[in-house]
Amino acid sequence: STIVNWSGGSTYVPSTSTPITPVTPTTPTIPTVPTTPPLSTTPPATTTPPPASPAKLELNVQTPQTALVGTKLRAVATIRNTGQSAATNVVLTDRFDQGLIFPLDPSRNMIENKGIGTIGPGETRTVPIELDVSKAGSLCQEVTVEFAGGNLVSQRVCVSASEPAPQRNAAFRIAIDGP
């Protein structure tokens, strides 16, 4: 029997009668792991919020149903912005029938109010409209509101005007004739 002390380096092959094929050590295979894409050094794209919806105006005109000739008709126009953007250069126009008179300009059957300005999202403006009633009948107003870049909104309202009841001046005389 043979005792061999071997400490690495070369392969020891004991002598035998059959030739031995030298063994080449194999390198263990390392499993392949999927790679992740390299980290980007560019900052992530900022998300832009969706654009705000445009301004949208609503109009509500309140007026009495009846009026007397010779009195004032007081209407109120309420303008509300239900959109998410400001409505700029808001203009209110009131076109009205003959028989209604705007005291500051009796020759025209129209009022144009350009002084409303800007109405922000969720804001409301109230505009009083005061006209004189000069004749009996069904008298109507067409109130419109528009703003820069926006659509026209309108509402038609009518009042039934009548002549006031005649005033009777009752008078009586008493005469006493006596003896």
PDB file of all heavy atoms in Angstrom, residues 70-95:
ATOM      1  N   GLY A  70     -96.981 103.854 -13.139  1.00  0.00           N
ATOM      2  CA  GLY A  70     -96.597 104.988 -12.295  1.00  0.00           C
ATOM      3  C   GLY A  70     -95.716 104.582 -11.131  1.00  0.00           C
ATOM      4  O   GLY A  70     -95.300 105.440 -10.355  1.00  0.00           O
ATOM      5  N   THR A  71     -95.425 103.291 -10.981  1.00  0.00           N
ATOM      6  CA  THR A  71     -94.551 102.841  -9.890  1.00  0.00           C
ATOM      7  C   THR A  71     -93.219 102.352 -10.473  1.00  0.00           C
ATOM      8  O   THR A  71     -93.025 102.302 -11.688  1.00  0.00           O
ATOM      9  CB  THR A  71     -95.206 101.701  -9.075  1.00  0.00           C
ATOM     10  OG1 THR A  71     -95.389 100.570  -9.925  1.00  0.00           O
ATOM     11  CG2 THR A  71     -96.530 102.142  -8.482  1.00  0.00           C
ATOM     12  N   LYS A  72     -92.329 101.970  -9.577  1.00  0.00           N
ATOM     13  CA  LYS A  72     -91.028 101.440  -9.978  1.00  0.00           C
ATOM     14  C   LYS A  72     -91.066  99.912  -9.948  1.00  0.00           C
ATOM     15  O   LYS A  72     -91.637  99.320  -9.041  1.00  0.00           O
ATOM     16  CB  LYS A  72     -89.929 101.938  -9.048  1.00  0.00           C
ATOM     17  CG  LYS A  72     -89.732 103.443  -9.130  1.00  0.00           C
ATOM     18  CD  LYS A  72     -88.332 103.823  -8.734  1.00  0.00           C
ATOM     19  CE  LYS A  72     -88.093 105.309  -8.891  1.00  0.00           C
ATOM     20  NZ  LYS A  72     -88.045 105.758 -10.253  1.00  0.00           N
ATOM     21  N   LEU A  73     -90.450  99.318 -10.947  1.00  0.00           N
ATOM     22  CA  LEU A  73     -90.282  97.861 -11.000  1.00  0.00           C
ATOM     23  C   LEU A  73     -88.854  97.567 -10.565  1.00  0.00           C
ATOM     24  O   LEU A  73     -87.897  98.064 -11.158  1.00  0.00           O
ATOM     25  CB  LEU A  73     -90.517  97.353 -12.429  1.00  0.00           C
ATOM     26  CG  LEU A  73     -90.236  95.874 -12.656  1.00  0.00           C
ATOM     27  CD1 LEU A  73     -91.253  95.021 -11.903  1.00  0.00           C
ATOM     28  CD2 LEU A  73     -90.264  95.548 -14.138  1.00  0.00           C
ATOM     29  N   ARG A  74     -88.718  96.795  -9.504  1.00  0.00           N
ATOM     30  CA  ARG A  74     -87.386  96.463  -8.978  1.00  0.00           C
ATOM     31  C   ARG A  74     -87.102  94.990  -9.231  1.00  0.00           C
ATOM     32  O   ARG A  74     -87.727  94.124  -8.623  1.00  0.00           O
ATOM     33  CB  ARG A  74     -87.317  96.794  -7.497  1.00  0.00           C
ATOM     34  CG  ARG A  74     -87.341  98.275  -7.229  1.00  0.00           C
ATOM     35  CD  ARG A  74     -87.319  98.611  -5.737  1.00  0.00           C
ATOM     36  NE  ARG A  74     -87.255 100.042  -5.516  1.00  0.00           N
ATOM     37  CZ  ARG A  74     -88.318 100.817  -5.409  1.00  0.00           C
ATOM     38  NH1 ARG A  74     -89.526 100.309  -5.510  1.00  0.00           N
ATOM     39  NH2 ARG A  74     -88.176 102.121  -5.217  1.00  0.00           N
ATOM     40  N   ALA A  75     -86.138  94.744 -10.114  1.00  0.00           N
ATOM     41  CA  ALA A  75     -85.691  93.384 -10.416  1.00  0.00           C
ATOM     42  C   ALA A  75     -84.289  93.213  -9.848  1.00  0.00           C
ATOM     43  O   ALA A  75     -83.568  94.197  -9.630  1.00  0.00           O
ATOM     44  CB  ALA A  75     -85.687  93.149 -11.923  1.00  0.00           C
ATOM     45  N   VAL A  76     -83.900  91.966  -9.613  1.00  0.00           N
ATOM     46  CA  VAL A  76     -82.552  91.661  -9.128  1.00  0.00           C
ATOM     47  C   VAL A  76     -81.979  90.545  -9.996  1.00  0.00           C
ATOM     48  O   VAL A  76     -82.577  89.469 -10.112  1.00  0.00           O
ATOM     49  CB  VAL A  76     -82.568  91.221  -7.644  1.00  0.00           C
ATOM     50  CG1 VAL A  76     -81.181  90.813  -7.184  1.00  0.00           C
ATOM     51  CG2 VAL A  76     -83.119  92.324  -6.771  1.00  0.00           C
ATOM     52  N   ALA A  77     -80.810  90.806 -10.612  1.00  0.00           N
ATOM     53  CA  ALA A  77     -80.105  89.790 -11.401  1.00  0.00           C
ATOM     54  C   ALA A  77     -78.971  89.240 -10.548  1.00  0.00           C
ATOM     55  O   ALA A  77     -78.139  89.996 -10.042  1.00  0.00           O
ATOM     56  CB  ALA A  77     -79.556  90.395 -12.687  1.00  0.00           C
ATOM     57  N   THR A  78     -78.947  87.917 -10.370  1.00  0.00           N
ATOM     58  CA  THR A  78     -77.882  87.260  -9.611  1.00  0.00           C
ATOM     59  C   THR A  78     -77.030  86.470 -10.596  1.00  0.00           C
ATOM     60  O   THR A  78     -77.542  85.609 -11.315  1.00  0.00           O
ATOM     61  CB  THR A  78     -78.463  86.333  -8.534  1.00  0.00           C
ATOM     62  OG1 THR A  78     -79.317  87.107  -7.682  1.00  0.00           O
ATOM     63  CG2 THR A  78     -77.368  85.694  -7.698  1.00  0.00           C
ATOM     64  N   ILE A  79     -75.731  86.771 -10.616  1.00  0.00           N
ATOM     65  CA  ILE A  79     -74.789  86.128 -11.534  1.00  0.00           C
ATOM     66  C   ILE A  79     -73.840  85.288 -10.691  1.00  0.00           C
ATOM     67  O   ILE A  79     -73.237  85.794  -9.743  1.00  0.00           O
ATOM     68  CB  ILE A  79     -73.976  87.171 -12.321  1.00  0.00           C
ATOM     69  CG1 ILE A  79     -74.907  88.179 -12.974  1.00  0.00           C
ATOM     70  CG2 ILE A  79     -73.085  86.493 -13.351  1.00  0.00           C
ATOM     71  CD1 ILE A  79     -74.202  89.445 -13.427  1.00  0.00           C
ATOM     72  N   ARG A  80     -73.712  83.997 -11.047  1.00  0.00           N
ATOM     73  CA  ARG A  80     -72.851  83.087 -10.272  1.00  0.00           C
ATOM     74  C   ARG A  80     -71.899  82.377 -11.220  1.00  0.00           C
ATOM     75  O   ARG A  80     -72.312  81.884 -12.274  1.00  0.00           O
ATOM     76  CB  ARG A  80     -73.711  82.071  -9.541  1.00  0.00           C
ATOM     77  CG  ARG A  80     -72.907  81.139  -8.673  1.00  0.00           C
ATOM     78  CD  ARG A  80     -73.816  80.294  -7.803  1.00  0.00           C
ATOM     79  NE  ARG A  80     -73.011  79.310  -7.140  1.00  0.00           N
ATOM     80  CZ  ARG A  80     -73.246  78.018  -7.145  1.00  0.00           C
ATOM     81  NH1 ARG A  80     -74.308  77.554  -7.756  1.00  0.00           N
ATOM     82  NH2 ARG A  80     -72.452  77.184  -6.530  1.00  0.00           N
ATOM     83  N   ASN A  81     -70.621  82.321 -10.841  1.00  0.00           N
ATOM     84  CA  ASN A  81     -69.614  81.610 -11.628  1.00  0.00           C
ATOM     85  C   ASN A  81     -69.468  80.198 -11.056  1.00  0.00           C
ATOM     86  O   ASN A  81     -68.943  80.013  -9.963  1.00  0.00           O
ATOM     87  CB  ASN A  81     -68.264  82.348 -11.582  1.00  0.00           C
ATOM     88  CG  ASN A  81     -67.205  81.669 -12.433  1.00  0.00           C
ATOM     89  OD1 ASN A  81     -67.405  80.582 -12.978  1.00  0.00           O
ATOM     90  ND2 ASN A  81     -66.061  82.314 -12.551  1.00  0.00           N
ATOM     91  N   THR A  82     -69.940  79.201 -11.800  1.00  0.00           N
ATOM     92  CA  THR A  82     -69.856  77.806 -11.346  1.00  0.00           C
ATOM     93  C   THR A  82     -68.652  77.093 -11.936  1.00  0.00           C
ATOM     94  O   THR A  82     -68.457  75.906 -11.689  1.00  0.00           O
ATOM     95  CB  THR A  82     -71.138  77.037 -11.715  1.00  0.00           C
ATOM     96  OG1 THR A  82     -71.290  77.056 -13.140  1.00  0.00           O
ATOM     97  CG2 THR A  82     -72.355  77.633 -11.042  1.00  0.00           C
ATOM     98  N   GLY A  83     -67.832  77.793 -12.721  1.00  0.00           N
ATOM     99  CA  GLY A  83     -66.635  77.187 -13.307  1.00  0.00           C
ATOM    100  C   GLY A  83     -65.458  77.240 -12.351  1.00  0.00           C
ATOM    101  O   GLY A  83     -65.587  77.668 -11.197  1.00  0.00           O
ATOM    102  N   GLN A  84     -64.289  76.808 -12.859  1.00  0.00           N
ATOM    103  CA  GLN A  84     -63.077  76.787 -12.030  1.00  0.00           C
ATOM    104  C   GLN A  84     -62.090  77.889 -12.403  1.00  0.00           C
ATOM    105  O   GLN A  84     -60.999  77.945 -11.849  1.00  0.00           O
ATOM    106  CB  GLN A  84     -62.401  75.416 -12.144  1.00  0.00           C
ATOM    107  CG  GLN A  84     -63.245  74.310 -11.568  1.00  0.00           C
ATOM    108  CD  GLN A  84     -62.602  72.946 -11.718  1.00  0.00           C
ATOM    109  OE1 GLN A  84     -61.566  72.797 -12.353  1.00  0.00           O
ATOM    110  NE2 GLN A  84     -63.207  71.943 -11.126  1.00  0.00           N
ATOM    111  N   SER A  85     -62.464  78.738 -13.350  1.00  0.00           N
ATOM    112  CA  SER A  85     -61.630  79.879 -13.744  1.00  0.00           C
ATOM    113  C   SER A  85     -62.434  81.161 -13.565  1.00  0.00           C
ATOM    114  O   SER A  85     -63.655  81.125 -13.519  1.00  0.00           O
ATOM    115  CB  SER A  85     -61.205  79.743 -15.209  1.00  0.00           C
ATOM    116  OG  SER A  85     -60.428  78.586 -15.396  1.00  0.00           O
ATOM    117  N   ALA A  86     -61.726  82.267 -13.492  1.00  0.00           N
ATOM    118  CA  ALA A  86     -62.389  83.568 -13.333  1.00  0.00           C
ATOM    119  C   ALA A  86     -63.051  83.985 -14.647  1.00  0.00           C
ATOM    120  O   ALA A  86     -62.524  83.741 -15.727  1.00  0.00           O
ATOM    121  CB  ALA A  86     -61.380  84.623 -12.898  1.00  0.00           C
ATOM    122  N   ALA A  87     -64.211  84.608 -14.532  1.00  0.00           N
ATOM    123  CA  ALA A  87     -64.895  85.219 -15.680  1.00  0.00           C
ATOM    124  C   ALA A  87     -64.514  86.695 -15.670  1.00  0.00           C
ATOM    125  O   ALA A  87     -64.812  87.406 -14.719  1.00  0.00           O
ATOM    126  CB  ALA A  87     -66.400  85.043 -15.569  1.00  0.00           C
ATOM    127  N   THR A  88     -63.837  87.147 -16.725  1.00  0.00           N
ATOM    128  CA  THR A  88     -63.358  88.529 -16.769  1.00  0.00           C
ATOM    129  C   THR A  88     -64.212  89.371 -17.713  1.00  0.00           C
ATOM    130  O   THR A  88     -64.852  88.852 -18.620  1.00  0.00           O
ATOM    131  CB  THR A  88     -61.886  88.578 -17.226  1.00  0.00           C
ATOM    132  OG1 THR A  88     -61.789  87.974 -18.515  1.00  0.00           O
ATOM    133  CG2 THR A  88     -60.980  87.839 -16.247  1.00  0.00           C
ATOM    134  N   ASN A  89     -64.201  90.668 -17.477  1.00  0.00           N
ATOM    135  CA  ASN A  89     -64.943  91.634 -18.304  1.00  0.00           C
ATOM    136  C   ASN A  89     -66.414  91.251 -18.426  1.00  0.00           C
ATOM    137  O   ASN A  89     -66.971  91.217 -19.521  1.00  0.00           O
ATOM    138  CB  ASN A  89     -64.302  91.778 -19.690  1.00  0.00           C
ATOM    139  CG  ASN A  89     -62.876  92.269 -19.603  1.00  0.00           C
ATOM    140  OD1 ASN A  89     -62.549  93.114 -18.783  1.00  0.00           O
ATOM    141  ND2 ASN A  89     -62.018  91.722 -20.438  1.00  0.00           N
ATOM    142  N   VAL A  90     -67.039  90.969 -17.303  1.00  0.00           N
ATOM    143  CA  VAL A  90     -68.450  90.568 -17.290  1.00  0.00           C
ATOM    144  C   VAL A  90     -69.327  91.789 -17.598  1.00  0.00           C
ATOM    145  O   VAL A  90     -69.130  92.860 -17.028  1.00  0.00           O
ATOM    146  CB  VAL A  90     -68.833  89.951 -15.924  1.00  0.00           C
ATOM    147  CG1 VAL A  90     -70.314  89.597 -15.880  1.00  0.00           C
ATOM    148  CG2 VAL A  90     -67.968  88.732 -15.628  1.00  0.00           C
ATOM    149  N   VAL A  91     -70.282  91.606 -18.516  1.00  0.00           N
ATOM    150  CA  VAL A  91     -71.196  92.675 -18.921  1.00  0.00           C
ATOM    151  C   VAL A  91     -72.626  92.160 -18.802  1.00  0.00           C
ATOM    152  O   VAL A  91     -72.950  91.082 -19.299  1.00  0.00           O
ATOM    153  CB  VAL A  91     -70.930  93.129 -20.377  1.00  0.00           C
ATOM    154  CG1 VAL A  91     -71.947  94.181 -20.811  1.00  0.00           C
ATOM    155  CG2 VAL A  91     -69.510  93.653 -20.526  1.00  0.00           C
ATOM    156  N   LEU A  92     -73.490  92.936 -18.147  1.00  0.00           N
ATOM    157  CA  LEU A  92     -74.914  92.625 -18.050  1.00  0.00           C
ATOM    158  C   LEU A  92     -75.668  93.604 -18.946  1.00  0.00           C
ATOM    159  O   LEU A  92     -75.427  94.806 -18.895  1.00  0.00           O
ATOM    160  CB  LEU A  92     -75.405  92.753 -16.609  1.00  0.00           C
ATOM    161  CG  LEU A  92     -76.896  92.481 -16.412  1.00  0.00           C
ATOM    162  CD1 LEU A  92     -77.101  91.601 -15.195  1.00  0.00           C
ATOM    163  CD2 LEU A  92     -77.691  93.754 -16.285  1.00  0.00           C
ATOM    164  N   THR A  93     -76.551  93.067 -19.778  1.00  0.00           N
ATOM    165  CA  THR A  93     -77.377  93.898 -20.664  1.00  0.00           C
ATOM    166  C   THR A  93     -78.839  93.564 -20.394  1.00  0.00           C
ATOM    167  O   THR A  93     -79.190  92.394 -20.270  1.00  0.00           O
ATOM    168  CB  THR A  93     -77.036  93.622 -22.143  1.00  0.00           C
ATOM    169  OG1 THR A  93     -75.637  93.818 -22.339  1.00  0.00           O
ATOM    170  CG2 THR A  93     -77.804  94.548 -23.056  1.00  0.00           C
ATOM    171  N   ASP A  94     -79.682  94.597 -20.291  1.00  0.00           N
ATOM    172  CA  ASP A  94     -81.122  94.417 -20.095  1.00  0.00           C
ATOM    173  C   ASP A  94     -81.837  95.158 -21.222  1.00  0.00           C
ATOM    174  O   ASP A  94     -81.745  96.371 -21.324  1.00  0.00           O
ATOM    175  CB  ASP A  94     -81.531  94.968 -18.722  1.00  0.00           C
ATOM    176  CG  ASP A  94     -83.005  94.747 -18.412  1.00  0.00           C
ATOM    177  OD1 ASP A  94     -83.714  94.091 -19.199  1.00  0.00           O
ATOM    178  OD2 ASP A  94     -83.459  95.246 -17.361  1.00  0.00           O
ATOM    179  N   ARG A  95     -82.513  94.392 -22.076  1.00  0.00           N
ATOM    180  CA  ARG A  95     -83.354  94.976 -23.135  1.00  0.00           C
ATOM    181  C   ARG A  95     -84.800  94.806 -22.690  1.00  0.00           C
ATOM    182  O   ARG A  95     -85.195  93.696 -22.328  1.00  0.00           O
ATOM    183  CB  ARG A  95     -83.108  94.267 -24.461  1.00  0.00           C
ATOM    184  CG  ARG A  95     -81.746  94.567 -25.048  1.00  0.00           C
ATOM    185  CD  ARG A  95     -81.504  93.756 -26.316  1.00  0.00           C
ATOM    186  NE  ARG A  95     -80.271  94.136 -26.973  1.00  0.00           N
ATOM    187  CZ  ARG A  95     -79.060  93.752 -26.582  1.00  0.00           C
ATOM    188  NH1 ARG A  95     -78.917  92.990 -25.536  1.00  0.00           N
ATOM    189  NH2 ARG A  95     -77.991  94.144 -27.240  1.00  0.00           N
TER     190      ARG A  95
END
